[in-house]
Amino acid sequence: EKDTEEVEKRIQATFQRLATEGFPRERVDVTLHQIELAAAKVHPSFGVHLSFGVMGTWVHGGDCVRPLRVMERAAELKKVLDEDPQYWQKLVQRWFVDNPHRVTV
C-alpha cells in the first residue's frame, strides 16, 4: 500500500509516453502477423478454441461470426494505421490519459 502512489505515477507516465510516442509500427505489424498466423493454424483443440472464441459474443446477443473474422479485422486495422499514423496515440490519450475515471484496488 505504501507504494501505491508511486505505482500510479509510473502507470500514468507510461500512458503519457505512449500517447506521445505511440507504438513502433514494426512491432504492431509483427504482432498482427502473429495473430493472423495463429488464427490460420488448425490444431487438435481447434474446435474447442473456436467455440470459446465465439461464445462470449453469442451469449450476449452479438454477431458470433465477428470473432472469426480475424484476417478481415487485421486488414481493417492495417488500413486505419496507414491512414492515421497517430491512431494508437489518440486511443491512449482518450481512454487512459484524458479519462478521469480511475480506481485503485
Side-chain angles (χ1 to χ4, degrees):
E1 287 184 27
K2 65 181 180 175
D3 296 329
T4 302
E5 189 174 324
E6 179 62 27
V7 170
E8 289 175 347
K9 283 181 185 177
R10 287 183 185 205
I11 290 170
Q12 281 307 113
T14 300
F15 285 142
Q16 187 61 55
R17 182 177 51 79
L18 288 172
T20 304
E21 300 172 13
F23 300 100
R25 178 63 190 259
E26 302 81 35
R27 290 184 68 185
V28 172
D29 289 341
V30 166
T31 302
L32 282 172
H33 185 65
Q34 289 175 334
I35 291 169
E36 291 169 335
L37 289 175
K41 183 180 177 184
V42 177
H43 43 79
S45 57
F46 179 77
V48 173
H49 287 209
L50 186 69
S51 300
F52 284 123
V54 300
M55 193 175 299
T57 306
W58 174 59
V59 168
H60 295 286
D63 177 7
C64 63
V65 179
R66 186 171 186 241
L68 303 177
R69 297 184 184 125
V70 174
M71 303 299 199
E72 182 181 319
R73 304 294 293 163
E76 289 173 11
L77 180 57
K78 287 177 186 177
K79 183 179 177 196
V80 168
L81 293 172
D82 288 340
E83 293 171 357
D84 184 4
Q86 300 291 312
Y87 179 74
W88 292 117
Q89 290 92 319
K90 291 175 183 176
L91 285 179
V92 171
Q93 185 72 39
R94 177 180 178 189
W95 293 108
F96 296 104
V97 176
D98 294 341
N99 188 348
H101 305 289
R102 295 186 180 87
V103 63
T104 301
V105 182

